[in-house]
Short mmCIF file of all heavy atoms in Angstrom, two decimals:
data_model
loop_
_atom_site.label_atom_id
_atom_site.label_comp_id
_atom_site.label_asym_id
_atom_site.label_seq_id
_atom_site.Cartn_x
_atom_site.Cartn_y
_atom_site.Cartn_z
N GLN A 37 0.83 -1.21 0.01
CA GLN A 37 -0.01 0.00 0.00
C GLN A 37 0.86 1.25 0.00
O GLN A 37 0.57 2.20 -0.71
CB GLN A 37 -0.93 -0.02 1.21
CG GLN A 37 -2.06 -1.04 1.12
CD GLN A 37 -2.85 -1.16 2.40
OE1 GLN A 37 -2.31 -1.05 3.50
NE2 GLN A 37 -4.16 -1.37 2.27
N VAL A 38 1.91 1.25 0.81
CA VAL A 38 2.82 2.40 0.83
C VAL A 38 3.42 2.64 -0.56
O VAL A 38 3.46 3.77 -1.04
CB VAL A 38 3.94 2.19 1.87
CG1 VAL A 38 5.01 3.28 1.73
CG2 VAL A 38 3.38 2.19 3.30
N ALA A 39 3.85 1.57 -1.20
CA ALA A 39 4.47 1.69 -2.54
C ALA A 39 3.45 2.27 -3.54
O ALA A 39 3.81 3.07 -4.41
CB ALA A 39 4.98 0.35 -3.01
N ALA A 40 2.17 1.85 -3.40
CA ALA A 40 1.14 2.31 -4.34
C ALA A 40 0.90 3.81 -4.22
O ALA A 40 0.56 4.45 -5.22
CB ALA A 40 -0.15 1.56 -4.10
N THR A 41 1.10 4.38 -3.05
CA THR A 41 0.86 5.82 -2.85
C THR A 41 1.94 6.68 -3.51
O THR A 41 1.73 7.86 -3.76
CB THR A 41 0.78 6.18 -1.38
OG1 THR A 41 2.08 6.02 -0.77
CG2 THR A 41 -0.23 5.31 -0.64
N LYS A 42 3.11 6.10 -3.72
CA LYS A 42 4.27 6.81 -4.25
C LYS A 42 4.71 7.98 -3.37
O LYS A 42 5.27 8.96 -3.84
CB LYS A 42 3.99 7.31 -5.69
CG LYS A 42 3.73 6.17 -6.66
CD LYS A 42 3.51 6.67 -8.09
CE LYS A 42 3.25 5.51 -9.03
NZ LYS A 42 3.02 5.93 -10.41
N ARG A 43 4.40 7.86 -2.08
CA ARG A 43 4.84 8.84 -1.09
C ARG A 43 5.99 8.26 -0.27
O ARG A 43 6.32 7.07 -0.37
CB ARG A 43 3.70 9.23 -0.18
CG ARG A 43 2.55 9.95 -0.85
CD ARG A 43 2.98 11.28 -1.45
NE ARG A 43 1.84 12.06 -1.92
CZ ARG A 43 1.93 13.14 -2.68
NH1 ARG A 43 3.14 13.57 -3.05
NH2 ARG A 43 0.85 13.78 -3.07
N THR A 44 6.59 9.09 0.54
CA THR A 44 7.71 8.66 1.40
C THR A 44 7.17 7.86 2.57
O THR A 44 6.26 8.30 3.27
CB THR A 44 8.47 9.88 1.92
OG1 THR A 44 8.89 10.68 0.81
CG2 THR A 44 9.68 9.46 2.75
N PRO A 45 7.74 6.66 2.82
CA PRO A 45 7.32 5.88 3.98
C PRO A 45 7.64 6.63 5.28
O PRO A 45 8.64 7.33 5.38
CB PRO A 45 8.15 4.59 3.89
CG PRO A 45 8.62 4.53 2.46
CD PRO A 45 8.77 5.95 2.03
N MET A 46 6.76 6.47 6.28
CA MET A 46 6.97 7.13 7.57
C MET A 46 6.48 6.19 8.66
O MET A 46 5.42 5.56 8.52
CB MET A 46 6.23 8.45 7.62
CG MET A 46 6.28 9.18 8.95
SD MET A 46 7.93 9.80 9.36
CE MET A 46 8.01 11.25 8.27
N LEU A 47 7.23 6.09 9.76
CA LEU A 47 6.81 5.35 10.93
C LEU A 47 6.46 6.31 12.05
O LEU A 47 7.29 7.16 12.41
CB LEU A 47 7.90 4.40 11.42
CG LEU A 47 8.00 3.01 10.74
CD1 LEU A 47 9.13 2.22 11.40
CD2 LEU A 47 6.72 2.24 10.80
N ILE A 48 5.26 6.21 12.58
CA ILE A 48 4.89 6.96 13.78
C ILE A 48 5.24 6.07 14.96
O ILE A 48 4.62 5.02 15.12
CB ILE A 48 3.40 7.32 13.78
CG1 ILE A 48 3.04 8.15 12.55
CG2 ILE A 48 3.05 8.09 15.05
CD1 ILE A 48 1.56 8.45 12.43
N PRO A 49 6.21 6.43 15.76
CA PRO A 49 6.71 5.52 16.82
C PRO A 49 5.63 5.17 17.84
O PRO A 49 4.75 6.00 18.15
CB PRO A 49 7.84 6.32 17.46
CG PRO A 49 8.23 7.35 16.47
CD PRO A 49 6.97 7.68 15.72
N ALA A 50 5.70 3.96 18.35
CA ALA A 50 4.81 3.53 19.41
C ALA A 50 4.90 4.51 20.57
O ALA A 50 5.98 5.02 20.89
CB ALA A 50 5.18 2.12 19.88
N GLY A 51 3.76 4.79 21.18
CA GLY A 51 3.74 5.71 22.32
C GLY A 51 3.59 7.17 21.95
O GLY A 51 3.51 8.02 22.83
N THR A 52 3.54 7.44 20.63
CA THR A 52 3.35 8.84 20.22
C THR A 52 1.99 9.35 20.70
O THR A 52 1.86 10.51 21.13
CB THR A 52 3.44 8.96 18.70
OG1 THR A 52 4.74 8.55 18.26
CG2 THR A 52 3.21 10.39 18.23
N TYR A 53 0.98 8.47 20.65
CA TYR A 53 -0.37 8.83 21.09
C TYR A 53 -0.83 7.89 22.19
O TYR A 53 -0.37 6.75 22.26
CB TYR A 53 -1.35 8.80 19.91
CG TYR A 53 -0.99 9.70 18.79
CD1 TYR A 53 -0.44 9.23 17.59
CD2 TYR A 53 -1.13 11.09 18.91
CE1 TYR A 53 -0.08 10.09 16.56
CE2 TYR A 53 -0.80 11.95 17.87
CZ TYR A 53 -0.28 11.45 16.71
OH TYR A 53 0.09 12.30 15.69
N SER A 54 -1.71 8.37 23.01
CA SER A 54 -2.26 7.56 24.10
C SER A 54 -2.88 6.28 23.54
O SER A 54 -3.67 6.31 22.59
CB SER A 54 -3.34 8.37 24.85
OG SER A 54 -3.93 7.59 25.86
N GLY A 55 -2.49 5.14 24.11
CA GLY A 55 -3.03 3.85 23.69
C GLY A 55 -2.37 3.26 22.47
O GLY A 55 -2.72 2.15 22.03
N GLN A 56 -1.40 3.95 21.89
CA GLN A 56 -0.71 3.44 20.69
C GLN A 56 0.48 2.59 21.14
O GLN A 56 1.53 3.11 21.48
CB GLN A 56 -0.23 4.59 19.80
CG GLN A 56 0.47 4.13 18.53
CD GLN A 56 1.36 5.20 17.91
OE1 GLN A 56 1.23 6.38 18.25
NE2 GLN A 56 2.25 4.79 17.05
N ASP A 57 0.31 1.27 21.09
CA ASP A 57 1.33 0.36 21.62
C ASP A 57 2.34 -0.10 20.57
O ASP A 57 3.35 -0.71 20.91
CB ASP A 57 0.66 -0.88 22.24
CG ASP A 57 -0.27 -0.50 23.40
OD1 ASP A 57 0.09 0.45 24.14
OD2 ASP A 57 -1.31 -1.14 23.55
N GLU A 58 2.06 0.14 19.30
CA GLU A 58 2.93 -0.31 18.23
C GLU A 58 3.23 0.83 17.26
O GLU A 58 2.48 1.79 17.17
CB GLU A 58 2.28 -1.47 17.46
CG GLU A 58 1.99 -2.70 18.31
CD GLU A 58 1.31 -3.79 17.48
OE1 GLU A 58 0.91 -3.49 16.32
OE2 GLU A 58 1.17 -4.92 17.99
N ASP A 59 4.36 0.67 16.53
CA ASP A 59 4.66 1.63 15.47
C ASP A 59 3.56 1.58 14.43
O ASP A 59 2.99 0.52 14.16
CB ASP A 59 5.99 1.29 14.80
CG ASP A 59 7.19 1.47 15.71
OD1 ASP A 59 7.05 2.11 16.76
OD2 ASP A 59 8.28 0.95 15.36
N VAL A 60 3.26 2.73 13.84
CA VAL A 60 2.25 2.82 12.79
C VAL A 60 2.95 3.17 11.48
O VAL A 60 3.64 4.20 11.39
CB VAL A 60 1.17 3.86 13.12
CG1 VAL A 60 0.25 4.09 11.92
CG2 VAL A 60 0.36 3.42 14.33
N ALA A 61 2.78 2.32 10.47
CA ALA A 61 3.38 2.55 9.16
C ALA A 61 2.43 3.39 8.32
O ALA A 61 1.28 3.03 8.11
CB ALA A 61 3.67 1.23 8.48
N THR A 62 2.91 4.52 7.84
CA THR A 62 2.08 5.39 7.03
C THR A 62 2.96 6.09 5.97
O THR A 62 4.04 5.60 5.67
CB THR A 62 1.31 6.40 7.92
OG1 THR A 62 0.43 7.17 7.12
CG2 THR A 62 2.25 7.31 8.70
N THR A 63 2.49 7.19 5.46
CA THR A 63 3.24 7.91 4.42
C THR A 63 3.37 9.38 4.80
O THR A 63 2.69 9.88 5.69
CB THR A 63 2.52 7.81 3.06
OG1 THR A 63 1.21 8.40 3.19
CG2 THR A 63 2.38 6.36 2.63
N SER A 64 4.24 10.06 4.08
CA SER A 64 4.46 11.47 4.40
C SER A 64 4.83 12.26 3.17
O SER A 64 5.18 11.68 2.13
CB SER A 64 5.56 11.61 5.45
OG SER A 64 6.81 11.20 4.91
N LEU A 65 4.73 13.55 3.29
CA LEU A 65 5.14 14.47 2.23
C LEU A 65 6.10 15.48 2.86
O LEU A 65 5.79 16.11 3.87
CB LEU A 65 3.93 15.20 1.66
CG LEU A 65 4.21 16.24 0.57
CD1 LEU A 65 4.69 15.55 -0.71
CD2 LEU A 65 2.95 17.07 0.28
#
């Protein structure tokens, strides 16, 4: 899915938000 967006991969580290126990893989500009 990340490759399909043609955007830069980005990881939001675990613990960034309340209740977020794992890294979140997303995209960025």
